[in-house]
Amino acid sequence: MTVHELSRTDARRIAVRAQLLDATRPDGLPDVVRRLTLLQIDPTAAVAPNADLVAWSRLSASGYAPVDLTAALADRRLLELRAMIRPAEDLALYRAEMAEWPERGTPTSWSEYHGTWVAANDACRRDILDRLGAAGPLPSRELPDTCELPWRSSGWSNNRNVTKLLELMVQRGEVAVAGRSGGDRLWDLAERVYPDTPAIPVAEALRTRDERRLRALGIARARGPECQVEPADVGEAGEPAVVEGVRGRWRVDPAQLGQPFAGRAALLSPFDRLIHDRRRTTELFGFDYQLEMYKPAAKRRWGYFALPILYGDRLVGKLDATADRKAGVLRVDAIHEDEKFDRAVTGAVGREIEDLARFLGLELVPPR
């Protein structure tokens, strides 16, 4: 098979176009989620929650409002599955794996622990199913914790038995998120939430997911960095490629090759899939970025929740902004220019910031 030879410009444009960040806007929220395959849920709302930021950056304030996402989840066109919002029809790609839980293939020590822990707390699992069957949907605090073996972790989940058991029961296909109330997940039996679609066999489902992930990324490594929930690699999907000045082989979506490109400005969530794989971001875009919300303020270079700035096929800076909803303002603390903005870039980025303020319903306060 031919190995496609791409310049970095080619590769960047493929990535930007695949992520629906070029000048051609998608047709609405369902089109965005279907083509991106997912919206990641993250509660951080220094500017706006990630799912809303990702949708807005593709559709603009005139094309998207958070109520659109709420409505699509309520009528089950979209589903929440393991902290990702996905098209309802994609559930068929996960059912077979749910049936094979805890892990297909050779078990890892972590998957073995999951299996052992759930088995040790089988009585609590059945208590939860009974409670949801009688009164669901319910928040986790209204579900019984009758676990005999507590969940042990060095992180935030230590001893959060019901929460951890529910998350593993999602992987088993037994329970599902039926909605949210005040930010709390509401849990119910999966059969009441999920569409009644037949399972696609595991091998076929994994191959299809790799293909869809590559279409959403445009270009990616066959094996990417290990990621929880959603892999960053694409297996043997697409066709092989090399990128000028970058070591190693890539996989590229052949449908993206040779396509025209017209760019625009966009403000990205720190969790946006264009930049989610930081190594790929560095190799293709030469862009230095870290989410600094966990750093002490004195050690931050760009801000608590800085938004990467895209212009055309280049990542050109970061926007340090905060949505102060109590004061009714979007406060721009700084615009960090990785390369000096010319008049065109300044104007385009300024219009995106104004559109972000409109989207949030806040008055824009520019930097001093």
Side-chain angles (χ1 to χ4, degrees):
M1 181 179 290
T2 301
V3 178
H4 301 284
E5 298 181 1
L6 306 174
S7 67
R8 286 197 190 187
T9 298
D10 293 333
R12 289 196 303 268
R13 290 180 174 182
I14 287 170
V16 169
R17 191 169 50 240
Q19 275 289 296
L20 313 180
L21 287 164
D22 61 339
T24 303
R25 301 274 188 175
D27 293 331
L29 180 63
D31 187 37
V32 168
V33 182
R34 192 170 296 111
R35 292 168 66 183
L36 297 185
T37 76
L38 59 84
L39 294 178
Q40 180 178 336
I41 298 171
D42 188 273
T44 307
V47 176
N50 176 70
D52 289 328
L53 272 178
V54 171
W56 163 77
S57 65
R58 274 69 179 175
L59 295 167
S60 81
S62 62
Y64 173 73
V67 293
D68 300 336
L69 180 56
T70 302
L73 289 167
D75 65 20
R76 305 282 196 259
R77 284 175 291 157
L78 302 178
L79 293 174
E80 181 176 334
L81 177 64
R82 299 189 66 191
M84 303 288 178
I85 296 168
R86 301 182 187 274
E89 61 268 23
D90 281 9
L91 182 70
L93 298 171
Y94 296 86
R95 282 194 181 278
E97 273 189 310
M98 290 173 176
E100 292 188 10
W101 191 91
E103 186 173 290
R104 59 185 296 275
T106 304
T108 64
S109 60
W110 195 237
S111 68
E112 287 180 340
Y113 176 63
H114 283 169
T116 300
W117 186 78
V118 171
N121 293 304
D122 188 62
C124 182
R125 183 184 67 83
R126 286 185 278 108
D127 289 343
I128 289 173
L129 291 173
D130 289 344
R131 175 75 169 140
L132 290 176
L138 294 169
S140 60
R141 64 177 176 273
E142 294 185 25
L143 296 173
D145 183 356
T146 55
C147 286
E148 296 182 11
L149 180 64
W151 177 260
R152 295 303 181 206
S153 168
S154 60
W156 68 272
S157 63
N158 187 58
N159 213 36
R160 296 174 66 98
N161 301 326
V162 171
T163 297
K164 192 61 189 180
L165 189 51
L166 285 166
E167 291 172 351
L168 294 174
M169 291 169 72
V170 167
Q171 295 179 38
R172 291 166 60 98
E174 296 177 319
V175 302
V177 176
R180 288 180 178 254
S181 177
D184 292 335
R185 290 176 291 185
L186 298 177
W187 300 90
D188 206 346
L189 300 179
E191 63 198 45
R192 294 177 180 165
V193 178
Y194 292 156
D196 186 19
T197 53
I200 295 173
V202 170
E204 180 184 349
L206 291 174
R207 184 170 60 252
T208 300
R209 280 154 54 181
D210 283 347
E211 291 168 353
R212 295 197 63 222
R213 191 178 304 116
L214 180 60
R215 282 199 296 271
L217 293 172
I219 182 169
R221 298 286 190 181
R223 288 292 304 272
E226 185 175 350
C227 297
Q228 290 187 342
V229 181
E230 182 69 16
D233 45 42
V234 297
E236 295 305 307
E239 296 178 359
V242 293
V243 178
E244 182 182 8
V246 182
R247 293 181 178 179
R249 291 286 185 95
W250 298 77
R251 306 296 296 185
V252 65
D253 177 7
Q256 293 282 358
L257 296 170
Q259 296 297 313
F261 179 83
R264 62 178 176 89
L267 306 175
L268 308 181
S269 163
F271 304 106
D272 197 289
R273 291 287 146 171
L274 183 70
I275 60 160
H276 194 267
D277 181 343
R278 302 292 195 244
R279 178 184 173 188
R280 174 178 178 265
T281 303
T282 301
E283 290 177 326
L284 298 186
F285 292 88
F287 188 63
D288 181 17
Y289 180 77
Q290 290 181 332
L291 178 58
E292 298 181 312
M293 59 188 290
Y294 302 110
K295 288 185 176 183
K299 294 186 177 182
R300 294 174 190 150
R301 292 179 288 173
W302 308 304
Y304 177 84
F305 198 73
L307 307 184
I309 301 172
L310 176 72
Y311 183 76
D313 61 28
R314 295 174 293 127
L315 290 162
V316 297
K318 296 96 177 171
L319 170 68
D320 181 11
T322 305
D324 187 341
R325 291 168 179 82
K326 187 175 181 179
V329 300
L330 174 65
R331 186 172 293 107
V332 176
D333 298 307
I335 299 174
H336 302 281
E337 301 179 13
D338 284 22
E339 51 188 76
K340 184 66 176 176
F341 290 5
D342 60 21
R343 182 176 297 179
V345 176
T346 298
V349 171
R351 288 188 291 274
E352 284 300 298
I353 296 172
E354 291 170 357
D355 194 68
L356 177 59
R358 281 192 295 273
F359 168 66
L360 298 172
L362 301 174
E363 181 182 351
L364 180 61
V365 179
R368 297 177 180 177

